[in-house]
């Protein structure tokens, strides 16, 4: 099983169904992640702080690098001066007017100081006992330790991490995978089966490399010929389809544009089983609109 498929399994154990339109990614957030993910991974390796947490905090605290504090002072984590700060500083209104914030020569210095701030802060010491992959524990721990006053701070970090798949950077080889596949297919789970939605330009070869599943299995699972060309939008199952639909789908009324194959993909049923359930031969013409088909 490939690394991406292992990741899919973990995601889908959490979410029963992930609707395509549930949440949309922000282009500015994606650009920020691409720009600073290598820096976040570097800090993780050096200080044992999850890269996902560093990126999520950077995104949230700096507004993806667009806040005045980030643009003018390179402060991406909203860190205030504190009694021990001897570097440059700026004044901004926050919880109180004209509060003192740290200013840096570069974004790299901001990331480095963020790591030092957590590593040397006694109230954050307990976080370093957590696993590097426990981003939820880190997010909740940061809120508990008082990093931010926002009562929803932990949930906001977790939502950002999960929406942008930032936890992949906490895994060994996660950065290399992201650089090799900059626009990975989002995993979904429906009818008890894992699948992705094909993009324009996909081939069995490209999907095989990304997902870690052989081309032969992808063709077999989806009952497709070797010369099939993806145009984008097709359901591509990552495991063998079922012999019948789930209990939620007993029958289906054929609609305009439906074919036996499209119905079998929609409900995750093997095409041969769909024909058999409806006592039809495999060479039978497409069912007419309004025909009621058995799915189990």
């Amino acid at each position: 099983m490939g690394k991406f498929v292992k990741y899919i399994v973990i995601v889908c154990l959490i979410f029963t169904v992930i609707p395509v339109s549930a949440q949309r990614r922000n282009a500015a957030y994606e650009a920020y992640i691409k720009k600073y993910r290598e820096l976040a991974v570097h800090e993780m390796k050096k200080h044992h702080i999850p890269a996902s947490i560093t990126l999520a905090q950077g995104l949230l605290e700096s507004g993806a690098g667009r806040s005045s504090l980030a643009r003018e002072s390179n402060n991406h984590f909203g860190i205030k001066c504190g009694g021990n700060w001897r570097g440059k500083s700026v004044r901004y209104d926050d919880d109180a007017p004209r509060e003192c914030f740290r200013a840096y020569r570069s974004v790299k210095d901001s990331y480095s100081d963020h790591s030092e701030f957590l590593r040397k802060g006694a109230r954050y010491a307990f976080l370093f006992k957590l696993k590097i992959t426990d981003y939820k524990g880190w997010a909740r721990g940061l809120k508990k330790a008082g990093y931010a006053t926002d009562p929803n701070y932990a949930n906001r970090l977790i939502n950002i991490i999960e929406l942008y798949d930032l936890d992949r950077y906490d895994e060994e080889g996660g950065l290399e995978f992201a650089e090799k596949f900059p626009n990975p297919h989002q995993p979904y789970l429906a009818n008890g089966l894992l699948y992705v939605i094909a993009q324009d330009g996909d081939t069995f070869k490209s999907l095989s490399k990304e997902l870690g599943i052989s081309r032969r299995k992808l063709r077999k699972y989806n009952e497709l010929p070797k010369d099939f060309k993806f145009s984008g939008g097709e359901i591509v199952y990552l495991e063998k389809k079922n012999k019948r639909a789930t209990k939620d789908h007993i029958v289906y009324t054929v609609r305009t544009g439906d074919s036996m194959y499209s119905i079998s993909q929609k409900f995750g049923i093997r095409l041969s089983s769909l024909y058999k359930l409806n006592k039809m031969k495999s060479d039978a013409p497409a069912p007419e609109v309004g025909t009621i088909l058995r799915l189990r």
Side-chain angles (χ1 to χ4, degrees):
M1 185 181 290
K3 287 184 179 179
F4 185 62
V5 175
K6 289 180 181 178
Y7 169 72
I8 290 174
V9 171
I10 294 171
V11 170
C12 291
L13 286 174
I14 301 171
F15 300 103
T16 305
V17 178
I18 308 174
V20 178
S21 59
Q23 285 183 295
R24 298 192 177 212
R25 296 186 178 188
N26 183 300
Y29 272 44
E30 291 187 319
Y32 183 95
I33 293 164
K34 186 175 182 179
K35 188 173 184 179
Y36 297 117
R37 62 192 180 189
E38 188 172 349
L39 192 52
V41 170
H42 171 77
E43 291 298 319
M44 176 178 69
K45 291 178 178 179
K46 185 176 180 181
H47 295 284
H48 202 73
I49 299 167
S52 61
I53 286 292
T54 299
L55 285 169
Q57 284 196 283
L59 285 163
L60 187 57
E61 297 288 349
S62 75
R66 295 175 295 178
S67 71
S68 296
L69 187 61
R71 287 185 288 105
E72 298 169 10
S73 306
N74 290 315
N75 188 330
H76 280 232
F77 299 93
I79 299 178
K80 297 178 182 179
C81 295
N84 298 323
W85 181 246
R86 297 293 179 266
K88 291 183 178 181
S89 64
V90 290
R91 296 281 175 173
Y92 281 95
D93 294 342
D94 192 50
D95 295 326
R98 303 279 299 163
E99 289 196 86
C100 183
F101 287 85
R102 300 181 184 188
Y104 306 98
R105 291 179 300 176
S106 66
V107 176
K108 183 178 179 180
D109 288 345
S110 178
Y111 269 69
S112 178
D113 188 54
H114 169 261
S115 298
E116 294 287 344
F117 180 77
L118 295 181
R119 173 59 76 177
K120 294 179 179 178
R123 58 179 173 167
Y124 301 113
F126 72 96
L127 291 171
F128 293 89
K129 297 178 182 179
L130 299 175
K131 292 182 178 180
I132 201 73
T133 54
D134 186 8
Y135 65 88
K136 289 184 179 180
W138 270 84
R140 291 164 183 155
L142 285 168
K143 175 62 185 75
K144 181 180 178 180
Y147 190 98
T149 56
D150 179 1
N152 293 316
Y153 191 72
N155 288 334
R156 292 179 73 184
L157 289 179
I158 291 169
N159 287 340
I160 289 171
I161 290 169
E162 293 180 347
L163 179 57
Y164 293 92
D165 301 330
L166 300 184
D167 51 319
R168 62 179 161 166
Y169 299 115
D170 301 334
E171 301 282 350
E172 184 178 354
L175 180 60
E176 291 79 4
F177 178 86
E179 290 175 346
K180 189 173 182 180
F181 302 104
N183 297 301
H185 293 74
Q186 184 174 345
Y188 299 95
L189 179 66
N191 306 310
L193 298 169
L194 293 167
Y195 71 95
V196 296
I197 302 297
Q199 301 169 6
D200 184 25
D202 279 342
T203 63
F204 287 117
K205 183 178 180 179
S206 65
L207 288 172
S208 175
K209 284 185 176 180
E210 179 186 334
L211 303 172
I213 302 176
S214 72
R215 285 175 269 181
R216 184 185 65 80
K217 285 185 177 180
L218 285 173
R219 291 195 299 267
K220 182 179 179 182
Y221 294 160
N222 294 280
E223 302 175 281
L224 293 170
K226 284 185 178 182
D227 59 354
F228 181 82
K229 304 292 184 183
F230 292 104
S231 58
E234 295 93 346
I235 293 172
V236 182
Y237 286 106
L238 310 183
E239 53 189 324
K240 188 181 294 185
K241 290 187 289 184
N242 302 314
K243 291 183 178 180
R244 57 181 61 83
T246 61
K247 294 180 180 179
D248 296 330
H249 304 290
I250 308 299
V251 296
Y252 176 74
T253 302
V254 177
R255 302 174 184 176
T256 302
D258 281 338
S259 66
M260 291 295 280
Y261 179 75
S262 68
I263 295 169
S264 76
Q265 288 293 96
K266 181 174 183 177
F267 294 101
I269 309 171
R270 296 173 206 172
L271 186 56
S272 59
S273 297
L274 184 60
Y275 277 114
K276 187 175 181 180
L277 283 167
N278 291 279
K279 299 180 180 178
M280 296 170 61
K281 294 182 178 180
S282 58
D283 59 353
E288 295 182 359
V289 173
T291 301
I292 297 177
L293 296 177
R294 289 185 57 193
L295 302 178
R296 57 177 292 113

